[in-house]
Amino acid sequence: MSYVGQPPGKPAEQTVSASGAVLAESHAGAHTISRRWLLFNAGIALNGIVGVVLAVPVVRYLLAPWKKDSSYDSWVSLGATDAFPVGDTRLAFYKNPSSNPWDGQTDNVACYVRRESSDQFRVFAVNCAHLGCPVRWFPQSQLFMCPCHGGVYYADGSRASGPPERGLFTYSWKIASGQLQIDAGQMPTLSNTAKLVKISIGHGDCSCSG
Amino acid sequence: MQRIKQTAIRIYGWLELRLQLEGPVKDAALHPVPRNTASWWYVFGSAAFTLLFLQIFTGILLALVYVPSAGEAWNSLNILNHQIPLGWFLRAMHGWGSNFMVAIVLIHMAQVFLFGAYKFPRELTWILGVFLLLMTLGMAFTGQVLRFDQDAYWGLGIGASIMSRVPFIGGGLVHLLLGGPIISGPTLSRFFALHVFVIPGTLLLFVFLHVWMVLKLGINEWPMPGRLVQRSTYIQEYHQLAHEDGIPFVPGAFWKDLIFSGAVLAAVAVCAFVFGPFGPGGQPDPSIIQTVPKPDFFFLWIYTVLSYLPPAMETPFILIVPLLGIAFLLALPFWAAEGEKSWHRRPVALLAVSTIAVCWGVLTHLGATTPWSPHMSAWSSDPIPVRYLQSATPLVRQGAAVFQAKQCRNCHSIGGAGGERGPALDEVATTMTIDQLRFKVVTGGGNMPAYGKNLSPAEIEAVVRFLETLHPANEPPAYDASRRAVETSQAVDRAPKPANRNAAP
């Protein structure tokens, strides 16, 4: 912004009378520097600086939940390994480790535990890999079925039919002092997978194995 | 009586000296509008305005009792329903008000589009309107979440899963949406802030600007075929139309707005009284797996689209199509700012609106009936109809038992009961031979899982034999011609040979 007329920074030397100053302003318009306009611009600049300084904590507050998945995860126990018979898929529950006192029932998270052998487990999230609805296990047909859009998975979690693009999400697990533990805390989605699982569109094996 | 009237006039004068609103209000009320804009086709915008204030009013009343805490929201909703006098009615007004709001906003948009009201000089009015539509849908979604039950909980999960498909920043966006790693206290709090403070504030600002522009630019005149919009001449022509053949807005055109708005309010009240409030449904406890989440009616079409999209197309479709749609709507007034306004001369516009309306209706209807969802308890509810097993061998009966126990009925119906995900199997034997049935059961294909690993060979044989009996009595089952030839030759081999005349007696 360029100014014509009196040089900046010397308000004390303006000897023009009040009415003259008004006249000068009204004749020369906003391009004439005057003490008033200078102070006005200084006020805008001050508010701008304060605004920028205030914006930092505000933006930080707004973006606070944006964290790496692992910072939300920790190891939680699903109970004794004896509670999970070999070859079965059972529903297990845990309280989400990242919780607030007013969460109510939303901290009761469920997961499916499949014990493949005495020391091998697979823990699936109940969230369908399509859009997150809770899948249901049917032991008779050994299938997981999702009620929302019809996704179906085999017992090993691989996709059997429907809109899901991948198999069920799984959790990392470990056995610690007789308890089955999983690394959990983050709701699994396509971007926040609990653990990477190869995408498989399996058709199951033929039963004629002999 | 005279003294009261005098006092009232003096009070009015006192206020008017200070507020000085009489001028602008009179201008707005009495400004001339073209005569044929006093039409019933023009009432939907004001009805949406009325509904907005109904929602704000009922929303404030509900907020006096509702607790936006993940732990207590469900309880407070039930207290509103059952313990607060007429709390159920207030909830019903707010819920039905939102349904009517979405419907009226869509009708208003279609009417404005077909009347060419987005053309010069009302392009900005249209653009603000597009944002108002998006904000209305945003209010509908956030409002649905505040009714914090199982549908809301899992619906939020679906929203988060959609967010997660954004490349690179998807994970972070999920955290922002949920206010944390899972659906919990902070999630409901931020949806409350969005639904009560952020979106309504923006809505009111945009509505004010939208209505301001309608007043300043004048209501869209009734489109006449052949009367083209041209930037150079329009404003003058409109001014002529309004002033030479105009009537004052109040009461000339406004009486229809009044009556329709009143009727809409009454309709909301009647629906609220007769049908009652929506939910809340089951408790928002994620450990309750036995649930079939569904959105409110205005999102059923998305529900259907997400079910029918092939897996590979899902992410690109979700990310790109809505953006393209919105971009098209925003760009519309710029590439079609001039020309014909009347729908009589705009076949593409008319065709587009009817196609979209029919598609939306069909998708919504499908979303209400959800034929793609397995019926989770079909396998343990209706038995196989007796007539299918009356002359069945033990193997066939065993097959029927396998069919029932292995959840086949969840997707396939027999005798009219069962799922609709797969085809009904009452006549499957007429379309598939026994070998094809065996192959299909073992390997699946299409949307059917493979059962080869989940059924023993004996179970497969039994169920296939059962399926082979499923044909109408007067139609034979499908038969493989090559099998017939083999069996004919086997029959010939096994048939008793005619006695050899030359053999010794």
Side-chain angles (χ1 to χ4, degrees):
Chain A
M1 201 168 160
S2 59
Y3 293 84
V4 291
Q6 290 160 344
K10 294 184 183 176
E13 293 185 10
Q14 282 177 340
T15 52
V16 191
S17 68
S19 55
V22 166
L23 267 175
E25 278 180 57
S26 60
H27 284 163
H31 296 294
T32 308
I33 188 170
S34 71
R35 212 183 79 166
R36 293 169 193 163
W37 282 108
L38 181 71
L39 289 173
F40 178 75
N41 290 322
I44 291 185
L46 173 67
N47 276 283
I49 292 170
V50 170
V52 166
V53 168
L54 275 182
V56 172
V58 167
V59 168
R60 220 178 159 286
Y61 174 82
L62 284 173
L63 290 180
W66 188 308
K67 284 197 265 197
K68 266 195 347 226
D69 295 345
S70 46
S71 60
Y72 287 120
D73 290 342
S74 59
W75 290 96
V76 288
S77 170
L78 293 178
T81 52
D82 301 332
F84 305 105
V86 178
D88 265 9
T89 301
R90 294 276 167 104
L91 199 56
F93 305 97
Y94 64 94
K95 187 167 184 299
N96 196 284
S98 309
S99 64
N100 303 289
W102 63 93
D103 281 349
Q105 301 152 316
T106 56
D107 283 334
N108 305 347
V109 186
C111 59
Y112 285 108
V113 176
R114 178 173 180 78
R115 189 167 194 175
E116 293 176 336
S117 70
S118 59
D119 57 354
Q120 272 299 113
F121 287 84
R122 294 194 83 177
V123 185
F124 302 111
V126 293
N127 306 83
C128 179
H130 176 223
L131 288 172
C133 283
V135 300
R136 288 190 226 182
W137 167 248
F138 290 95
Q140 298 85 0
S141 55
Q142 298 277 299
L143 293 172
F144 294 97
M145 292 194 197
C146 178
C148 282
H149 313 103
V152 182
Y153 306 87
Y154 293 116
D156 64 352
S158 57
R159 174 194 172 271
S161 100
E165 295 149 78
R166 49 158 290 159
L168 286 175
F169 301 110
T170 59
Y171 295 101
S172 305
W173 61 273
K174 71 179 184 197
I175 298 178
S177 40
Q179 303 266 316
L180 176 64
Q181 295 188 348
I182 55 170
D183 190 21
Q186 163 68 47
M187 182 182 98
T189 66
L190 287 176
S191 289
N192 319 82
T193 55
K195 189 181 97 157
L196 273 178
V197 173
K198 66 169 169 53
I199 297 172
S200 60
I201 305 179
H203 288 291
D205 290 329
C206 177
S207 64
C208 46
S209 52
Chain B
M1 192 58 223
Q2 263 305 101
R3 270 189 51 213
I4 295 176
K5 211 172 151 194
Q6 292 284 43
T7 321
I9 292 176
R10 278 181 54 215
I11 292 177
Y12 178 81
W14 187 91
L15 286 171
E16 173 54 25
L17 178 66
R18 288 150 182 81
L19 287 172
Q20 298 179 24
L21 280 178
E22 190 181 304
V25 169
K26 264 195 172 154
D27 273 342
L30 300 175
H31 74 280
V33 295
R35 182 173 300 273
N36 39 25
T37 62
S39 155
W40 287 108
W41 288 103
Y42 282 61
V43 300
F44 300 105
S46 56
F49 190 82
T50 309
L51 281 172
L52 174 64
F53 282 93
L54 173 73
Q55 290 300 94
I56 291 177
F57 181 62
T58 51
I60 290 174
L61 291 176
L62 286 173
L64 298 178
V65 177
Y66 174 77
V67 179
S69 154
E72 299 299 339
W74 191 81
N75 288 331
S76 67
L77 286 169
N78 277 310
I79 285 174
L80 268 169
N81 271 353
H82 301 295
Q83 291 179 16
I84 307 287
L86 289 182
W88 65 269
F89 184 67
L90 205 53
R91 281 202 66 236
M93 288 284 288
H94 199 73
W96 281 100
S98 90
N99 282 357
F100 272 76
M101 180 67 142
V102 174
I104 296 266
V105 159
L106 289 173
I107 294 172
H108 174 63
M109 180 170 154
Q111 181 263 318
V112 160
F113 177 71
L114 286 174
F115 278 51
Y118 58 86
K119 293 186 187 288
F120 177 85
R122 300 178 178 91
E123 303 96 329
L124 190 58
T125 320
W126 170 267
I127 288 174
L128 285 183
V130 171
F131 287 114
L132 283 172
L133 172 70
L134 294 173
M135 283 191 278
T136 305
L137 293 175
M139 287 297 275
F141 181 63
T142 53
Q144 206 177 265
V145 168
L146 290 183
R147 183 181 65 230
F148 200 52
D149 58 6
Q150 274 166 10
D151 286 338
Y153 181 91
W154 296 109
L156 261 179
I158 291 178
S161 301
I162 291 176
M163 251 341 167
S164 74
R165 287 156 192 268
V166 175
F168 306 119
I169 55 171
L173 286 179
V174 169
H175 292 155
L176 274 188
L177 182 77
L178 301 182
I182 60 167
I183 299 166
S184 57
T187 317
L188 192 62
S189 295
R190 57 186 52 204
F191 271 77
F192 184 77
L194 278 174
H195 186 79
V196 173
F197 301 120
V198 177
I199 305 182
T202 327
L203 256 176
L204 285 172
L205 173 67
F206 276 49
V207 164
F208 171 74
L209 289 174
H210 190 80
V211 173
W212 170 267
M213 279 195 286
V214 171
L215 280 174
K216 286 293 171 191
L217 297 170
I219 189 75
N220 184 42
E221 82 283 6
W222 188 272
M224 290 299 194
R227 189 199 285 158
L228 299 174
V229 173
Q230 277 158 0
R231 283 198 183 90
S232 46
T233 57
Y234 178 79
I235 295 184
Q236 232 172 320
E237 287 170 2
Y238 181 82
H239 193 261
Q240 217 171 2
L241 203 60
H243 288 267
E244 288 175 12
D245 191 31
I247 52 172
F249 176 55
V250 175
F254 191 60
W255 72 269
K256 287 182 176 162
D257 285 310
L258 268 181
I259 290 187
F260 187 73
S261 290
V264 161
L265 283 178
V268 172
V270 165
C271 285
F273 186 75
V274 171
F275 299 112
F278 294 100
Q283 297 183 49
D285 185 343
S287 62
I288 301 175
I289 308 284
Q290 315 296 329
T291 177
V292 184
K294 269 177 95 156
D296 283 354
F297 98 90
F298 30 80
F299 291 127
L300 285 175
W301 66 276
I302 305 182
Y303 185 39
T304 307
V305 167
L306 292 172
S307 306
Y308 281 138
L309 277 175
M313 270 181 73
E314 188 107 16
T315 299
F317 197 90
I318 289 176
L319 294 179
I320 296 175
V321 169
L323 289 177
L324 281 182
I326 295 169
F328 172 77
L329 284 176
L330 290 174
L332 177 70
F334 295 108
W335 64 264
E338 298 181 306
E340 287 278 4
K341 252 188 191 172
S342 167
W343 65 90
H344 295 288
R345 301 282 172 94
R346 291 166 55 212
V348 175
L350 203 51
L351 202 61
V353 170
S354 1
T355 308
I356 291 173
V358 168
C359 287
W360 186 89
V362 169
L363 291 173
T364 301
H365 173 72
L366 282 172
T369 54
T370 63
W372 55 78
S373 292
H375 291 197
M376 296 298 185
S377 50
W379 67 285
S380 53
S381 32
D382 294 288
I384 305 273
V386 173
R387 66 181 185 278
Y388 289 149
L389 295 172
Q390 248 156 6
S391 48
T393 64
L395 184 62
V396 168
R397 284 178 205 277
Q398 190 62 32
V402 169
F403 182 84
Q404 198 81 339
K406 300 291 180 178
Q407 284 92 35
C408 307
R409 209 91 180 265
N410 282 12
C411 293
H412 293 282
S413 71
I414 283 194
E420 299 153 84
R421 182 165 174 68
L425 296 179
D426 298 82
E427 299 185 358
V428 67
T430 59
T431 53
M432 293 176 84
T433 67
I434 193 164
D435 287 324
Q436 286 170 331
L437 286 169
R438 273 193 203 106
F439 190 77
K440 188 73 177 174
V441 167
V442 167
T443 60
N447 261 336
M448 175 166 162
Y451 281 79
K453 222 166 142 186
N454 310 336
L455 298 174
S456 70
E459 287 172 325
I460 293 174
E461 189 60 26
V463 80
V464 162
R465 289 288 168 193
F466 165 66
L467 291 172
E468 206 199 3
T469 66
L470 297 178
H471 59 88
N474 56 336
E475 266 186 71
Y479 202 73
D480 195 334
S482 64
R483 295 298 308 162
R484 192 188 294 279
V486 166
E487 283 176 21
T488 312
S489 70
Q490 280 175 348
V492 165
D493 287 339
R494 269 190 247 114
K497 302 272 188 303
N500 195 336
R501 283 187 232 110
N502 299 331

